[in-house]
C-alpha cells in the first residue's frame, strides 16, 4: 500500500483543474482509495472560521478517485468506519414491511459521510427493498474487521472497478450553486 493522500491545498477554484491535479499528482497510479469514516468526515461538517469547507480535501480526493476519464481510471472506494462511529452508522436490524425479511440498518447519509460515498454506496436506480453488497459500488467495513483482514476488503474494493456497477458511479463537482454530475 502506498500513501497517495492529498497533503496541500491546490490553489484554484476551478473544480475541473483541481480534480485534474489530484489525478495527475496523487492518484494516477492508485487503484483503491481508503476513506476513513470518523466523527469529522461527513458532508454536513460545515466551514471553518475562514469560510473554507472543512472537508474540502476529502471531497476532492473522493471525487477524483471516482472520476473515470482520460489519464485516470476510477478507483475502488473502501470506507473504513472508525470505532467512534459504529453506533452512528450501524443501527442493528429491522424487519422489512415489503419483503418480511430482516435487514441491517446502516446509516450512510450526509450526517455520517461525504456525498460521493453515500451516493455510490446506495446506487440508484434501485428496485429492491434493501441494497445487497452486489448493488453497491463502495465497500463499507468496521475498523476492527478491516485490521483483521485488510487484503480482503482492499481486494473487494479493487474488484468493484471492473464490475457492471462501475457504470452507475457518479461524481458531483460543485461550481458555485451548480452541481455538474459525471457518470
Amino acid at each position: 500500500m502506498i500513501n497517495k493522500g492529498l497533503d496541500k491545498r491546490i490553489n484554484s477554484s476551478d473544480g475541473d483543474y483541481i480534480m485534474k491535479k489530484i489525478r495527475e499528482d496523487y492518484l494516477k497510479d492508485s487503484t483503491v482509495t481508503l476513506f476513513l469514516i470518523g466523527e469529522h468526515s461527513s458532508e454536513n461538517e460545515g466551514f471553518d472560521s475562514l469560510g473554507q469547507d472543512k472537508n474540502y480535501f476529502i471531497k476532492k480526493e473522493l471525487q477524483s478517485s471516482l472520476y473515470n476519464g482520460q489519464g485516470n481510471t476510477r478507483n475502488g472506494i473502501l470506507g473504513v468506519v472508525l470505532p467512534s462511529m459504529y453506533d452512528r452508522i450501524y443501527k442493528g436490524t429491522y424487519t422489512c414491511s415489503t419483503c418480511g425479511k430482516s435487514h441491517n440498518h446502516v446509516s450512510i447519509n450526509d450526517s455520517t459521510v461525504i456525498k460521493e460515498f453515500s451516493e455510490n454506496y446506495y446506487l440508484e436506480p434501485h428496485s429492491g427493498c434493501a441494497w445487497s453488497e452486489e448493488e453497491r459500488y463502495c465497500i463499507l467495513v468496521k475498523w476492527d474487521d478491516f485490521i483483521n483482514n485488510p487484503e480482503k476488503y482492499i481486494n473487494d474494493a479493487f474488484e468493484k472497478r471492473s464490475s457492471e456497477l462501475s457504470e452507475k458511479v457518479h461524481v458531483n463537482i460543485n461550481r458555485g450553486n451548480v452541481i455538474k454530475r459525471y457518470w
Side-chain angles (χ1 to χ4, degrees):
M1 290 187 282
I2 301 166
N3 181 359
K4 293 289 188 169
L6 187 61
D7 58 358
K8 62 183 176 184
R9 181 172 286 278
I10 297 171
N11 192 17
S12 175
S13 59
D14 180 348
D16 288 333
Y17 174 77
I18 292 168
M19 286 181 52
K20 178 178 182 254
K21 290 300 290 176
I22 291 171
R23 287 189 305 274
E24 288 175 354
D25 297 347
Y26 295 92
L27 299 176
K28 69 180 170 190
D29 57 352
S30 68
T31 56
V32 173
T33 299
L34 264 59
F35 171 37
L36 295 178
I37 301 171
E39 294 179 33
H40 301 286
S41 55
S42 73
E43 188 71 27
N44 295 340
E45 186 63 20
F47 299 89
D48 63 20
S49 60
L50 299 174
Q52 304 280 335
D53 184 342
K54 288 183 180 179
N55 285 327
Y56 173 84
F57 291 117
I58 297 171
K59 290 176 183 178
K60 292 303 175 193
E61 284 188 56
L62 285 173
Q63 289 169 352
S64 294
S65 295
L66 289 165
Y67 181 77
N68 194 40
Q70 184 177 357
N72 186 72
T73 57
R74 179 175 292 120
N75 279 9
I77 305 294
L78 173 56
V80 180
V81 181
L82 299 177
S84 62
M85 290 294 287
Y86 286 1
D87 291 342
R88 288 187 55 201
I89 292 184
Y90 298 102
K91 302 286 191 174
T93 60
Y94 66 94
T95 302
C96 179
S97 61
T98 303
C99 71
K101 294 181 182 176
S102 180
H103 299 297
N104 292 323
H105 180 191
V106 180
S107 183
I108 296 296
N109 55 49
D110 288 353
S111 295
T112 57
V113 297
I114 301 297
K115 192 172 292 298
E116 272 66 31
F117 189 86
S118 63
E119 289 183 358
N120 290 295
Y121 183 73
Y122 294 121
L123 286 170
E124 295 291 350
H126 177 71
S127 59
C129 54
W131 280 262
S132 69
E133 287 303 317
E134 294 76 32
E135 297 173 300
R136 297 181 177 121
Y137 184 76
C138 295
I139 300 293
L140 185 70
V141 62
K142 289 181 178 179
W143 172 261
D144 295 328
D145 295 332
F146 174 72
I147 290 302
N148 287 328
N149 195 356
E151 292 84 10
K152 176 208 179 315
Y153 299 103
I154 292 169
N155 286 336
D156 288 349
F158 180 82
E159 292 298 321
K160 295 283 186 168
R161 299 170 66 235
S162 59
S163 72
E164 289 180 22
L165 287 175
S166 67
E167 299 301 318
K168 292 184 175 183
V169 168
H170 61 270
V171 183
N172 298 313
I173 301 174
N174 297 321
R175 287 215 170 92
N177 293 329
V178 178
I179 294 181
K180 189 172 181 183
R181 212 170 237 189
Y182 291 94
W183 279 269

